Amino acid sequence: MPPKTANREAGYFATLAAERSDIALCRASTVVARAAEARANESGIGVGQHLVLKMLAEVGPSSQRILSDQLRIDRSVMVGICDGLEQAGHVRRERDAGDRRAYAVTITDSGRRLLARAEDAVPEFLDDTFADLTPAEREQLSALLAKVLRLRP
Amino acid sequence: MPPKTANREAGYFATLAAERSDIALCRASTVVARAAEARANESGIGVGQHLVLKMLAEVGPSSQRILSDQLRIDRSVMVGICDGLEQAGHVRRERDAGDRRAYAVTITDSGRRLLARAEDAVPEFLDDTFADLTPAEREQLSALLAKVLRLRP
DNA sequence: CACAGATCATCTGTCTTCAGATGATTGGCG
DNA sequence: CGCCAATCATCTGAAGACAGATGATCTGTG
């Protein structure tokens, strides 16, 4: 347990993080997000683009609305993500025949190849960013975050 | 355990969050950050301003550099935070006599009163945002985040 | 003392995120 | 059928975060 009388300045953040989990969560998020973006860029892709390709590969063609909702990416941002993927040829944007307001965003073979490369880098990335956690602790963290996000009851 | 064959679209995020703790962490952060900012605003303050007042009250007058480092707030952003606090009279910015490059940012009585009000709202806020976690789980989360942040070994 | 490099606060421009408005299209309801 | 509210993708403008440059000041070295 840290001393009751807080250190006068150095290490104040540790005290704060212990007391305010919300702050700890936000600060952890920014370092993790930075690292994730850097890793994704090494594969020549953004994190958002990676997630879009991943979802398209797993659930099939989807509208930008569904992608936005399920990936928790703002619809305005999704426009730019899909623009990039489409220009690079990793995705096709066809109008959905049944609902011509919506696109049917579809992953291409090029997209699948890029996705495969990006996915290869994920395990090592997770291992690095959660290096100080045992496998059991990583499971715990995952479960706790799911509760904070109010996912499955 | 969720079905191996992922749901075709609904609930895809739960699958993703289970697989990518980094994404779960980031998404949890944005919802928590939003809630924190909203709560702080109800006390007529920003989260950053709240943290600055809190640190000043606990460790005494500090330079903006030290505040930035310990609160993990960019030095450029700290300028605006201190501007706001100073204009509202919650903080004084005197040049440090010993090092005239640096300010000695000092909390005022007005600042202490505002801080007290803002602090009053914190326990309820934490209770709300981590409502689905037991006290033991909140401790776990705090400890795990400390490890992700590589705080104390 | 004089000078070089580091440090503090600040400013500037860029990038990301997001709320709200817009145009096209849909579905429901009379 | 014809209208109206809702929905999809997009655009626009505002706000925040941040990298890099700047001016003032400090520290250390000769």
Side-chain angles (χ1 to χ4, degrees), chain A residues 34 63-65 76 79 93 101-103:
Chain A
R34 262 178 209 278
S63 69
Q64 293 181 192
R65 175 68 150 97
S76 280
V79 174
R93 265 204 280 210
R101 290 170 304 186
Y103 284 130

Side-chain angles (χ1 to χ4, degrees), chain B residues 20-51:
Chain B
R20 292 287 303 266
S21 293
D22 61 320
I23 304 294
L25 184 60
C26 294
R27 298 303 185 264
S29 169
T30 75
V31 346
V32 167
R34 263 177 206 278
E37 198 62 49
R39 281 302 177 102
N41 289 348
E42 288 174 12
S43 307
I45 201 176
V47 170
Q49 295 184 335
H50 181 164
L51 296 181

Side-chain angles (χ1 to χ4, degrees), chain A residues 22-132:
Chain A
D22 60 320
I23 304 294
L25 183 60
C26 293
R27 300 302 185 263
S29 169
T30 75
V31 346
V32 167
R34 262 178 209 278
E37 198 61 48
R39 284 298 179 104
N41 289 349
E42 286 174 14
S43 307
I45 200 176
V47 170
Q49 294 184 338
H50 181 162
L51 295 181
V52 166
L53 289 180
K54 181 173 163 62
M55 177 162 171
L56 290 178
E58 293 181 9
V59 319
S62 309
S63 69
Q64 293 181 192
R65 175 68 150 97
I66 291 178
L67 291 167
S68 289
D69 284 353
Q70 294 302 317
L71 300 177
R72 305 282 201 273
I73 295 173
D74 188 87
R75 66 195 194 288
S76 280
V77 175
M78 185 58 67
V79 174
I81 291 176
C82 289
D83 281 352
L85 288 173
E86 184 181 35
Q87 282 171 23
H90 303 310
V91 142
R92 270 173 299 142
R93 265 204 280 210
E94 300 147 349
R95 283 286 165 186
D96 182 326
D99 183 345
R100 300 197 328 271
R101 290 170 304 186
Y103 284 130
V105 184
T106 310
I107 190 170
T108 65
D109 288 345
S110 155
R112 284 183 202 279
R113 285 192 295 273
L114 177 58
L115 174 61
R117 246 182 301 142
E119 283 290 312
D120 281 346
V122 169
E124 189 189 342
F125 161 69
L126 290 176
D127 238 49
D128 286 356
T129 77
F130 301 114
D132 290 359

Side-chain angles (χ1 to χ4, degrees), chain B residues 51-116:
Chain B
L51 296 181
V52 166
L53 290 181
K54 180 174 164 63
M55 177 164 170
L56 290 179
E58 293 181 10
V59 319
S62 310
S63 70
Q64 292 181 193
R65 175 69 151 99
I66 291 178
L67 290 168
S68 289
D69 285 352
Q70 293 303 317
L71 299 177
R72 305 282 201 273
I73 294 174
D74 188 87
R75 66 197 194 288
S76 280
V77 175
M78 185 59 67
V79 174
I81 291 176
C82 290
D83 281 352
L85 288 173
E86 185 180 36
Q87 282 171 23
H90 303 309
V91 141
R92 267 174 302 143
R93 264 203 280 212
E94 301 148 348
R95 282 287 164 186
D96 183 326
D99 183 346
R100 297 190 338 266
R101 291 169 302 182
Y103 286 130
V105 183
T106 309
I107 189 170
T108 64
D109 287 345
S110 156
R112 287 184 200 278
R113 285 192 295 274
L114 178 57
L115 173 61

